[in-house]
Amino acid sequence: MKCFTKGEYLGSTNHELEFEGNLMMITSYRNCPDSNWHYHENSFFTFVLNGGCHEIRKVYTHESRPGDLLYFEKGILHKNSHYTEYSRNFNLELSDKWLADYDIQFKIDPAGFALRKCDLKFLFIQLYDEFLQQDAASFVSMNTVLLQIMGNKIHEISNGTPSWVPKIKEYVYDNWDTNFSLKELSTILDIHPVTISKNFTRYFGCTLGEFIRKYRIEKALYMIRTTNADLTDIAFTCGFADQSHFIRTFKKYTGTLPLHYRKI
């Protein structure tokens, strides 16, 4: 069984940058063949910029696409197949020493290696933008963003939360492009609107409106990178009233502008 050492990936890497033992790079998978089972000596994140592939674990499979964020714990067996013609990822490989120095323990459910939380993806866009700039303040900024990532709650929902919490989450995921009122939501899910209003922030870390907007921006990440649609059309598809509102919201959460994100 092959072990990939630090900085070793299936594709070709470029723009490598190391800070405090952590390694960041862009990895291209042009004409990349399917892989055999393998594992990595270091844990790492990969943020899909272009293309995608089938990520296969012993029990779980995920078809990655632009805007996806995946976490690979060191020593976990996996293999990859069906790379698209031009796949490109931003990889962040974590140093055990850095994790120990900052007293960080990062564990996830093996089934949750494809991270769905919007805030993590937005932070990775900020990290990627700093990685590309690499000015005098980049190292401080990158370490700050990375600590935010590692300190982020991976799952909005944990054991012991009320049954209505996952119901709302799934409803928003399934109806992200539909405008609905609090009253309509409470009627559909049979939850009193006061219960939602009073407790939503406690379990999701933001208001219901913010949660909806974040998920719509996450959907926009894919559209911006994979289509030539103008921002007005993307804004409308994602449920925003106009392009200006969409741009402001995108900038608020990702730290960059939609057209800049399309180019980087």
Side-chain angles (χ1 to χ4, degrees):
M1 200 74 63
K2 182 173 176 56
C3 173
F4 283 24
T5 57
K6 183 175 180 178
E8 184 180 6
Y9 295 91
L10 293 171
S12 59
T13 60
N14 54 60
H15 297 92
E16 291 189 11
L17 177 66
E18 186 167 356
F19 74 100
E20 296 196 24
N22 300 313
L23 184 64
M24 293 190 296
M25 70 197 74
I26 297 172
T27 307
S28 300
Y29 300 90
R30 186 183 294 274
N31 301 318
C32 189
D34 295 352
S35 76
N36 295 318
W37 290 103
H38 62 280
Y39 62 95
H40 296 257
E41 71 171 2
N42 293 318
S43 300
F44 71 97
F45 292 94
T46 188
F47 183 76
V48 182
L49 299 170
N50 304 96
C53 73
H54 290 183
E55 168 63 28
I56 304 166
R57 306 287 172 99
K58 285 294 186 180
V59 180
Y60 310 101
T61 300
H62 175 77
E63 184 176 351
S64 65
R65 65 181 200 168
D68 279 358
L69 177 64
L70 285 71
Y71 179 68
F72 297 76
E73 189 171 347
K74 65 178 183 178
I76 295 295
L77 289 176
H78 69 109
K79 63 180 180 178
N80 307 90
S81 67
H82 298 85
Y83 280 99
T84 57
E85 183 177 355
Y86 183 51
S87 296
R88 218 165 49 103
N89 294 353
F90 171 54
N91 290 340
L92 165 64
E93 193 167 336
L94 300 169
S95 159
D96 284 343
K97 184 178 184 305
W98 183 86
L99 292 170
D101 287 346
Y102 286 93
D103 193 24
I104 294 172
Q105 294 183 351
F106 193 84
K107 296 287 184 180
I108 65 169
D109 184 331
F113 65 89
L115 304 175
R116 294 189 68 178
K117 191 171 184 183
C118 299
D119 288 338
L120 286 169
K121 298 181 180 183
F122 300 155
L123 286 168
F124 255 84
I125 293 173
Q126 295 177 33
L127 186 66
Y128 178 55
D129 202 26
E130 287 290 347
F131 165 77
L132 294 177
Q133 292 186 50
Q134 293 187 30
D135 59 21
S138 289
F139 285 97
V140 172
S141 181
M142 285 187 293
N143 208 33
T144 301
V145 175
L146 180 52
L147 287 170
Q148 285 182 268
I149 291 168
M150 303 307 290
N152 216 292
K153 288 174 63 179
I154 299 303
H155 302 292
E156 296 97 336
I157 298 170
S158 59
N159 293 333
T161 57
S163 60
W164 59 264
V165 174
K167 289 181 181 178
I168 287 183
K169 182 180 180 182
E170 290 305 315
Y171 185 83
V172 172
Y173 283 175
D174 293 340
N175 299 275
W176 62 273
D177 56 351
T178 303
N179 291 320
F180 50 84
S181 68
L182 176 60
K183 183 177 180 180
E184 289 169 335
L185 178 65
S186 65
T187 299
I188 292 169
L189 299 181
D190 193 24
I191 307 165
H192 198 286
V194 173
T195 300
I196 299 174
S197 301
K198 184 178 179 180
N199 297 291
F200 191 90
T201 301
R202 174 184 176 187
Y203 293 108
F204 288 89
C206 61
T207 66
L208 174 59
E210 288 172 329
F211 185 74
I212 294 169
R213 284 191 289 271
K214 286 178 180 180
Y215 194 62
R216 288 176 172 177
I217 292 297
E218 181 189 0
K219 288 293 185 180
L221 299 180
Y222 175 75
M223 297 180 199
I224 290 170
R225 298 290 294 196
T226 60
T227 73
N228 293 319
D230 61 39
L231 295 186
T232 300
D233 290 339
I234 292 176
F236 180 75
T237 301
C238 292
F240 291 90
D242 54 59
Q243 179 177 315
S244 296
H245 184 208
F246 169 66
I247 291 174
R248 288 195 306 272
T249 306
F250 193 96
K251 170 75 172 177
K252 174 183 177 181
Y253 292 133
T254 69
T256 190
L257 296 171
L259 288 181
H260 178 65
Y261 178 67
R262 174 171 274 170
K263 295 174 182 177
I264 60 176

